Amino acid sequence: MWKTHITRVEPNRLTVRGRVLDEMIGEVSFGQMVYVVLMGKLPDEKVGRMIEAMLVASIDHGVTPPSTHAARQVAACRAQLTASLSAGLLAIGTVHGGAIEECMILLGHGAMERGQSGKSPQEIAQTIAARAKETGRRLPGFGHRIHTDDPRTKRLLSMAHELDLAGEHVAIAEALVDSLAKVTGKPLPLNVDGCLAAILSDVGVPPELGNAFFIIGRVPGLIAHIAEEQANERAMRTVNPDEAEYEP
Amino acid sequence: MWKTHITRVEPNRLTVRGRVLDEMIGEVSFGQMVYVVLMGKLPDEKVGRMIEAMLVASIDHGVTPPSTHAARQVAACRAQLTASLSAGLLAIGTVHGGAIEECMILLGHGAMERGQSGKSPQEIAQTIAARAKETGRRLPGFGHRIHTDDPRTKRLLSMAHELDLAGEHVAIAEALVDSLAKVTGKPLPLNVDGCLAAILSDVGVPPELGNAFFIIGRVPGLIAHIAEEQANERAMRTVNPDEAEYEP
Amino acid sequence: MWKTHITRVEPNRLTVRGRVLDEMIGEVSFGQMVYVVLMGKLPDEKVGRMIEAMLVASIDHGVTPPSTHAARQVAACRAQLTASLSAGLLAIGTVHGGAIEECMILLGHGAMERGQSGKSPQEIAQTIAARAKETGRRLPGFGHRIHTDDPRTKRLLSMAHELDLAGEHVAIAEALVDSLAKVTGKPLPLNVDGCLAAILSDVGVPPELGNAFFIIGRVPGLIAHIAEEQANERAMRTVNPDEAEYEP
Amino acid sequence: MWKTHITRVEPNRLTVRGRVLDEMIGEVSFGQMVYVVLMGKLPDEKVGRMIEAMLVASIDHGVTPPSTHAARQVAACRAQLTASLSAGLLAIGTVHGGAIEECMILLGHGAMERGQSGKSPQEIAQTIAARAKETGRRLPGFGHRIHTDDPRTKRLLSMAHELDLAGEHVAIAEALVDSLAKVTGKPLPLNVDGCLAAILSDVGVPPELGNAFFIIGRVPGLIAHIAEEQANERAMRTVNPDEAEYEP
């Protein structure tokens, strides 16, 4: 026998992480429920709202991400829905989407150093930025191919502050934007990966679960592209995202 | 050039289905957002709550579903997260999870017949049940391996009525439970697939998108199992769901 | 207990389809071995050579197929090898690669009709071509986007004749080329899918296993593209097959 | 424009790695062709025979590997062929199948050290075994859950010697068996992964392509299990490999 701590299945009774499932239906938000199933406990409503906001922010980024491209290319071959979806998801890993986990580790180290040294977030950020410059390493969670001031990041950070959920990981991330600008001489904005990393860390999610939240939020977007591809485009076509035109 | 109607990507501006993404963050629930990206328009708050409830209801069913089993078996080989997740999702198709789409088609035919004939849901259900008996065909969305009275179904249906979202598809599905009991002589409860089918139809979702809602709701559960497998179990073990024991 | 008829595993002894595996190593070709594991019996050497030839013919078709495109797009995200490979394989199904199975069914019906009616392959082909014209249905296995006279088909068919393996499925396929040209007024050559379909049918493979041979032959090509992508191209790039240039 | 060096596609002409494809059909074995597409050059016939032998040896290992288990579990849900196949392949990575690459790196280091120091394979093996003991590290490619004297290894090694293809990687691998036995006091046989690693290294394959040969050889076995599952077993069943019984 081996143990599972997620869901007890009995006839006419389902218990998820110690709570009766049907009593949560309609009472907790999907954001809270995601936290319940992954973290093992019910978060308060504010954390639930914050997670909903992060899932909403992750929903889609048009045809530019390689995951969307791969999903549409398989959908063009009229595969079963989950086959196209899987092709998209398989593109998400260390490079695409993976910055969340790495940035959480980075911010976690910063927070630990802060706890030990009593330094301010600004001082911690200074050290990290200086070290990055020295080693020539690009920090995960900063900079974006398209956005210089990602509207999702701005909105999520202001929510985190309003809801009083922004803790030291957010503080270090925000300080890093200033430090990186000073050290590198060019603006390196916090991207949405880095933003999720900071907020997820502040609501208690460990780094290895960070990507999960992005993935959960992105699945509906991938499915929308798969459905659109199958409905509107010719079977077996070559999908070229550079030739896509948005039409409302 | 080809057209996409989902998301416009411009520097520092994302527009999903015609609405500015960052203005929706924190304002619309994830349930509403899923509807936006898949259906192309913002549903009212009640529909959003109903969809959240259906996503919450779909979150997990322990180690019993073959998708969870496949995902854990690949996770036991320490594959990347999305590889284990894909193995699980690939199990979801015509047989596992597919009853939603088929049941939506069934209820849709019933509703169309009702519109044309002016018959009551009970009369429509009678005809469907009689036909099923004749042909020996098992109706999609009815009956469950484990539950005789699925607690998720009960809760979702009562919510649909409370929110005044239950329309004729729910009416036909509920009438079918009675008709099937009479015709077959044994209770064939509406299962959670059938329940999602009826409610999704009543909020305007077409059959080919039905499974998507179940998949979106189940992804977090699959990820929870993958994380648990990697954290607690020996690499390369054979996963046997019959030997699993729930421990809170 | 449930039964498997493929491989018996005992300490220091492996028996595949009733034959000791290590006694086959070095004695049977991979083509023969593929037949053994899928069909349950050892084919003679000629069939083995024919299957090797079909696997060799299937090895790669550059960056034009959607499967290769999808595999490279996921490889660009530096996924694990089998994740990129899976993204490619998932594109292969009813539309891409699926013509083999459908063409086998078509030729099988023709052969059956021939057995019952005593008609010649030419007469059978005439009927099929006429019916196709009437219904406007495109016959699976005929016509190609790029090749008007596929060099693989020509070589495989001549081998099938030389090895005396060409039977009535090949005869009907060859007759169909003539009949289709007459009926449609334009040349519709037998493509490599149709060619595999005809020869596989003549060596006793059932339609539902037809695609398997194409897949087995194509896997090394997909892996070559994945390796090339990871070795030569920038992470996260958009793969555009139309911009690829062959360089020896 | 970007470059590909694998296949040139022109109307009625396919050139793989600089050679006309149809001229290779029927002339080169599939083993040679796999080498051509992955390594970029035609190997001599002996190398081709050796690769065929390794592919034959990899064909199947019953229902015991987690990849086969995952593939069958998805096949039980009646997914498309490539979906079940992908679920199986996704299990193959660093842990399952990955020993080939790691063992190639280990043997490569040994060979390099040998070249620099002029030591004998026995002396190199001695050092590696002693270091492994010290660090408590299990060497990749040695030991097996089921076989103490893997019949595939024995046959493949004797072929490598007969064909005069066994070079210093095989020599070091063979010496390691003795050294490990002496150092650990218990027999740690070369398993089939280690055997493929040694021989592939000796025929010039780099470590990062090592797993590819195992994967190419195993695909037909996975497909055989998928076909058997769909033909013989009930949809949605739980696949338990411990309850499988071999029947010829």
Side-chain angles (χ1 to χ4, degrees):
Chain A
M1 300 303 282
W2 54 278
K3 308 287 183 200
T4 179
H5 309 288
I6 303 170
T7 301
R8 181 202 291 273
V9 178
E10 297 162 298
N12 304 332
R13 190 179 172 85
L14 292 165
T15 317
V16 177
R17 298 292 194 183
R19 285 161 192 279
V20 176
L21 175 56
D22 50 295
E23 292 173 3
M24 291 190 282
I25 297 173
E27 296 302 317
V28 308
S29 70
F30 188 64
Q32 284 177 295
M33 195 65 205
V34 167
Y35 195 97
V36 166
V37 79
L38 289 177
M39 301 289 295
K41 57 177 188 252
L42 185 68
D44 65 27
E45 216 195 292
K46 289 195 305 178
V47 171
R49 281 180 58 196
M50 195 68 238
I51 290 176
E52 291 258 317
M54 289 187 279
L55 298 179
V56 167
S58 302
I59 200 95
D60 195 51
H61 200 271
V63 294
T64 65
S67 48
T68 308
H69 184 184
R72 287 193 81 123
Q73 189 57 65
V74 173
C77 299
R78 307 296 182 251
Q80 66 179 64
L81 169 57
T82 53
S84 306
L85 178 57
S86 293
L89 291 172
L90 290 167
I92 301 176
T94 47
V95 175
H96 174 14
I100 300 173
E101 181 172 348
E102 284 174 54
C103 185
M104 288 174 88
I105 293 170
L106 177 81
L107 298 174
H109 285 161
M112 204 165 60
E113 212 179 309
R114 220 199 130 187
Q116 289 165 348
S117 67
K119 285 184 190 164
S120 71
Q122 284 71 25
E123 290 168 304
I124 295 292
Q126 210 71 35
T127 320
I128 297 175
R131 221 181 294 144
K133 206 201 163 157
E134 249 178 66
T135 56
R137 189 187 159 219
R138 201 179 159 285
L139 290 187
F142 294 85
H144 195 278
R145 288 175 302 157
I146 296 169
H147 310 298
T148 53
D149 187 15
D150 195 314
R152 298 166 293 179
T153 297
K154 222 170 8 184
R155 181 75 192 98
L156 289 173
L157 286 178
S158 85
M159 264 191 82
H161 288 291
E162 281 161 33
L163 292 170
D164 212 22
L165 294 171
E168 61 185 344
H169 298 90
V170 166
I172 295 171
E174 288 178 330
L176 261 168
V177 175
D178 291 334
S179 301
L180 284 170
K182 267 184 224 150
V183 164
T184 65
K186 58 177 180 186
L188 262 178
L190 189 65
N191 60 35
V192 75
D193 286 353
C195 177
L196 259 66
I199 298 173
L200 287 170
S201 295
D202 275 340
V203 300
V205 172
E208 65 271 23
L209 286 176
N211 287 356
F213 289 81
F214 168 65
I215 291 167
I216 293 165
R218 182 55 55 89
V219 163
L222 288 170
I223 293 176
H225 283 280
I226 292 164
E228 188 181 66
E229 179 71 27
Q230 304 219 120
N232 298 354
E233 305 295 337
R234 182 173 55 75
M236 289 283 285
R237 75 160 182 145
T238 298
V239 176
N240 182 349
D242 295 340
E243 291 180 357
E245 205 165 51
Y246 176 77
E247 195 178 72
Chain B
M1 301 302 283
W2 53 278
K3 309 288 183 200
T4 178
H5 310 287
I6 303 170
T7 301
R8 182 201 292 270
V9 178
E10 298 162 298
N12 304 332
R13 189 176 173 88
L14 292 165
T15 317
V16 178
R17 298 291 193 183
R19 285 161 190 277
V20 176
L21 176 55
D22 50 295
E23 292 175 3
M24 290 191 282
I25 297 173
E27 296 302 318
V28 308
S29 70
F30 188 65
Q32 283 176 295
M33 195 66 204
V34 166
Y35 195 96
V36 167
V37 81
L38 290 176
M39 299 291 294
K41 58 177 189 249
L42 185 67
D44 65 26
E45 216 196 293
K46 289 194 306 177
V47 170
R49 282 179 59 197
M50 196 68 238
I51 290 176
E52 291 259 316
M54 288 187 279
L55 297 178
V56 167
S58 301
I59 201 92
D60 194 52
H61 200 270
V63 294
T64 64
S67 47
T68 308
H69 184 184
R72 288 193 80 124
Q73 189 58 64
V74 173
C77 300
R78 307 297 181 250
Q80 64 180 65
L81 168 58
T82 53
S84 306
L85 178 58
S86 293
L89 290 172
L90 290 167
I92 300 176
T94 47
V95 175
H96 174 14
I100 300 173
E101 182 172 347
E102 284 173 55
C103 184
M104 288 174 88
I105 293 170
L106 176 80
L107 298 175
H109 284 163
M112 204 165 60
E113 210 179 310
R114 219 199 130 189
Q116 290 165 346
S117 67
K119 286 183 190 165
S120 72
Q122 285 69 27
E123 290 167 306
I124 296 292
Q126 210 72 35
T127 319
I128 298 174
R131 222 181 295 143
K133 209 208 160 149
E134 248 178 68
T135 58
R137 189 187 158 219
R138 202 180 157 283
L139 290 186
F142 294 84
H144 196 279
R145 288 175 301 158
I146 297 169
H147 309 299
T148 52
D149 186 14
D150 195 313
R152 299 167 293 179
T153 297
K154 219 168 12 183
R155 180 76 191 96
L156 289 172
L157 286 179
S158 85
M159 264 190 82
H161 286 293
E162 282 161 32
L163 292 169
D164 211 21
L165 294 170
E168 60 185 344
H169 299 91
V170 166
I172 295 171
E174 290 177 329
L176 262 168
V177 175
D178 291 334
S179 301
L180 285 169
K182 264 183 226 151
V183 164
T184 65
K186 58 178 179 185
L188 262 177
L190 188 65
N191 60 35
V192 76
D193 286 353
C195 177
L196 258 67
I199 298 173
L200 287 169
S201 295
D202 275 340
V203 300
V205 172
E208 63 272 21
L209 286 176
N211 286 357
F213 289 81
F214 167 67
I215 290 168
I216 293 166
R218 182 55 56 88
V219 163
L222 287 170
I223 294 177
H225 283 281
I226 292 164
E228 187 181 69
E229 180 70 30
Q230 303 218 122
N232 298 353
E233 304 294 337
R234 183 173 54 74
M236 290 283 284
R237 76 159 180 144
T238 298
V239 176
N240 182 348
D242 295 340
E243 291 179 357
E245 203 165 51
Y246 176 77
E247 194 178 71
Chain C
M1 301 303 282
W2 54 278
K3 309 287 184 200
T4 178
H5 310 288
I6 304 170
T7 302
R8 181 202 293 269
V9 179
E10 298 161 299
N12 304 330
R13 190 178 172 85
L14 292 165
T15 317
V16 177
R17 298 292 193 183
R19 286 163 190 277
V20 176
L21 176 55
D22 51 295
E23 291 175 3
M24 290 191 282
I25 297 173
E27 296 302 317
V28 308
S29 70
F30 187 64
Q32 284 177 295
M33 195 66 204
V34 167
Y35 195 97
V36 167
V37 79
L38 289 177
M39 300 289 296
K41 58 176 189 248
L42 185 68
D44 65 27
E45 217 195 293
K46 289 195 305 177
V47 171
R49 282 181 58 198
M50 196 68 238
I51 290 176
E52 291 259 316
M54 289 187 278
L55 297 178
V56 167
S58 302
I59 200 94
D60 194 51
H61 200 270
V63 295
T64 65
S67 48
T68 309
H69 184 183
R72 287 193 82 124
Q73 189 57 65
V74 173
C77 299
R78 306 297 182 251
Q80 65 180 65
L81 169 56
T82 53
S84 306
L85 178 57
S86 293
L89 290 172
L90 290 168
I92 301 176
T94 46
V95 175
H96 174 14
I100 300 172
E101 182 172 347
E102 284 173 54
C103 185
M104 288 174 87
I105 293 170
L106 176 80
L107 299 174
H109 285 162
M112 204 166 60
E113 211 178 309
R114 219 199 131 188
Q116 290 165 347
S117 67
K119 286 185 190 162
S120 72
Q122 285 71 25
E123 290 167 306
I124 296 291
Q126 209 72 35
T127 320
I128 297 174
R131 220 181 295 144
K133 209 210 158 146
E134 248 177 67
T135 58
R137 190 189 159 217
R138 202 179 157 285
L139 290 187
F142 294 84
H144 196 279
R145 288 175 302 157
I146 297 170
H147 309 299
T148 53
D149 187 15
D150 195 315
R152 298 166 294 180
T153 297
K154 222 171 5 187
R155 181 74 191 98
L156 288 173
L157 286 179
S158 85
M159 264 191 81
H161 287 291
E162 281 162 34
L163 291 171
D164 212 21
L165 293 171
E168 61 185 345
H169 299 90
V170 166
I172 295 171
E174 289 178 330
L176 262 169
V177 174
D178 292 334
S179 301
L180 284 170
K182 263 182 230 153
V183 164
T184 66
K186 57 178 181 186
L188 263 177
L190 188 65
N191 61 34
V192 75
D193 286 355
C195 177
L196 258 67
I199 299 174
L200 286 170
S201 295
D202 275 340
V203 302
V205 172
E208 65 271 22
L209 286 176
N211 286 357
F213 289 81
F214 168 66
I215 290 167
I216 293 165
R218 183 53 57 90
V219 163
L222 288 170
I223 294 176
H225 283 281
I226 292 164
E228 187 181 66
E229 180 71 29
Q230 304 219 121
N232 298 354
E233 304 295 337
R234 182 173 56 74
M236 289 284 284
R237 75 158 181 147
T238 298
V239 177
N240 183 349
D242 294 339
E243 291 180 357
E245 204 165 50
Y246 176 78
E247 195 178 71
Chain D
M1 301 302 280
W2 53 278
K3 309 287 182 200
T4 179
H5 310 287
I6 303 171
T7 301
R8 182 201 291 270
V9 178
E10 297 162 298
N12 304 331
R13 190 176 172 86
L14 293 165
T15 318
V16 178
R17 299 290 194 184
R19 286 162 191 278
V20 176
L21 175 56
D22 51 294
E23 292 174 3
M24 291 191 283
I25 296 173
E27 296 302 318
V28 309
S29 70
F30 187 66
Q32 283 176 296
M33 195 66 205
V34 167
Y35 195 96
V36 167
V37 80
L38 288 177
M39 301 290 294
K41 58 178 190 247
L42 185 68
D44 65 25
E45 217 196 293
K46 288 195 306 178
V47 170
R49 281 180 58 197
M50 195 69 238
I51 291 176
E52 292 260 316
M54 289 187 279
L55 297 179
V56 167
S58 303
I59 201 91
D60 194 52
H61 200 271
V63 294
T64 65
S67 48
T68 308
H69 184 183
R72 288 193 79 125
Q73 188 58 64
V74 173
C77 299
R78 306 296 181 253
Q80 64 179 67
L81 169 57
T82 53
S84 306
L85 178 57
S86 293
L89 291 172
L90 290 167
I92 300 177
T94 48
V95 175
H96 174 14
I100 299 173
E101 182 172 347
E102 285 174 52
C103 184
M104 288 174 88
I105 293 170
L106 176 81
L107 298 174
H109 284 163
M112 203 165 60
E113 212 178 309
R114 219 199 131 189
Q116 290 165 347
S117 67
K119 286 183 191 165
S120 72
Q122 285 70 27
E123 289 168 306
I124 295 292
Q126 209 72 35
T127 319
I128 296 173
R131 222 181 295 145
K133 208 207 160 148
E134 249 177 67
T135 57
R137 189 189 159 215
R138 201 178 158 285
L139 290 186
F142 295 84
H144 195 280
R145 289 175 301 156
I146 297 168
H147 309 298
T148 53
D149 187 15
D150 195 314
R152 299 167 293 180
T153 297
K154 223 173 3 187
R155 181 74 191 98
L156 288 173
L157 286 178
S158 86
M159 264 191 81
H161 287 292
E162 280 161 34
L163 292 170
D164 212 21
L165 293 171
E168 61 184 345
H169 299 92
V170 165
I172 295 171
E174 290 178 329
L176 262 168
V177 175
D178 291 335
S179 301
L180 284 170
K182 266 183 225 151
V183 165
T184 65
K186 58 177 179 187
L188 262 177
L190 188 66
N191 60 35
V192 76
D193 286 353
C195 177
L196 257 67
I199 298 173
L200 287 170
S201 295
D202 275 341
V203 301
V205 172
E208 64 271 22
L209 286 176
N211 287 357
F213 289 82
F214 167 66
I215 290 167
I216 294 165
R218 181 55 55 89
V219 163
L222 288 170
I223 294 176
H225 282 281
I226 292 163
E228 187 180 68
E229 179 71 28
Q230 303 217 122
N232 297 354
E233 305 294 338
R234 184 173 53 74
M236 289 283 285
R237 75 160 182 144
T238 298
V239 176
N240 182 348
D242 295 340
E243 291 180 357
E245 204 165 50
Y246 176 77
E247 194 178 70

